[in-house]
Amino acid sequence: LGPANEDAAHQKESVTRAILQANGLDLVAPPLCGQWDEEWGRQAARQLVHDEVHFDAVICGNDVLARGVCSTLQGLGMSVPGDVAIVGFDNWGLMVEANRPRLTSVDLRLPEVGRVAAQKLIDAIEGRPPAPGTTYIESRLVARESTALPTGADREVVRRRLAARD
């Protein structure tokens, strides 16, 4: 995740936990908190491996962190997504497309968030009071190769791993 003192990091963790639990899953390690940069992603990946955490997926607080995690795990000999799937947040075109493999990411629909915020500001300037409450913009998962199921022999390995969990 990002910095421990930032609300965005806590919200992402909370929603991630809820979605995992709704699907019968849980985190295998406590969230690692640090800066929103690629170097922290590299450090977090090394820490997971050093601590001998057995994981098959990493959910990162943003795409920059995910890129650092991905490159480090690959450098340590792990296959993405064969050994570990990686997901980021923000769906930042430059990051998700430049990463190899291309990065699965949660699209927070930031242009729509900006449009709604700008409209609320215009309404306030023009004397129209805002509606009470919070406006929610629904996010979406954009699946790419960093979470794709492998093909051929690797698919059989994944099938056996999943069967062993049941």
Side-chain angles (χ1 to χ4, degrees):
L1 287 174
N5 63 344
E6 289 197 19
D7 191 48
H10 293 289
Q11 288 182 18
K12 289 174 182 180
E13 177 190 353
S14 175
V15 169
T16 298
R17 279 185 187 274
I19 290 169
L20 288 172
Q21 289 173 350
N23 288 281
L25 302 169
D26 200 359
L27 299 177
V28 296
L32 302 175
C33 295
Q35 297 305 308
W36 294 111
D37 60 28
E38 197 167 333
E39 178 55 30
W40 170 242
R42 289 191 286 270
Q43 290 176 19
R46 286 190 297 269
Q47 185 173 337
L48 286 171
V49 172
H50 178 267
D51 292 348
E52 298 182 2
V53 175
H54 298 287
F55 60 95
D56 58 8
V58 179
I59 302 169
C60 302
N62 71 17
D63 296 332
V64 178
L65 288 166
R67 184 175 164 105
V69 168
C70 185
S71 66
T72 298
L73 294 178
Q74 288 171 324
L76 294 171
M78 297 178 82
S79 168
V80 176
D83 295 321
V84 61
I86 299 177
V87 177
F89 269 84
D90 298 332
N91 198 35
W92 183 16
L94 177 65
M95 284 290 122
V96 299
E97 294 297 330
N99 195 68
R100 292 294 171 256
R102 291 182 327 134
L103 186 63
T104 292
S105 185
V106 177
D107 185 350
L108 300 176
R109 299 183 54 218
L110 296 178
E112 178 65 8
V113 170
R115 188 195 67 71
V116 169
Q119 187 60 56
K120 288 180 179 286
L121 178 60
I122 290 167
D123 290 347
I125 290 170
E126 293 177 352
R128 292 186 297 274
T134 304
T135 301
Y136 292 94
I137 307 296
E138 188 172 331
S139 60
R140 66 186 180 101
L141 181 68
V142 180
R144 295 187 182 87
E145 291 84 8
S146 70
T147 56
L149 277 176
T151 59
D154 288 340
R155 182 181 294 274
E156 180 58 25
V157 170
V158 170
R159 188 194 63 71
R160 278 183 282 175
R161 283 182 186 169
L162 292 173
R165 289 184 190 163
D166 294 337

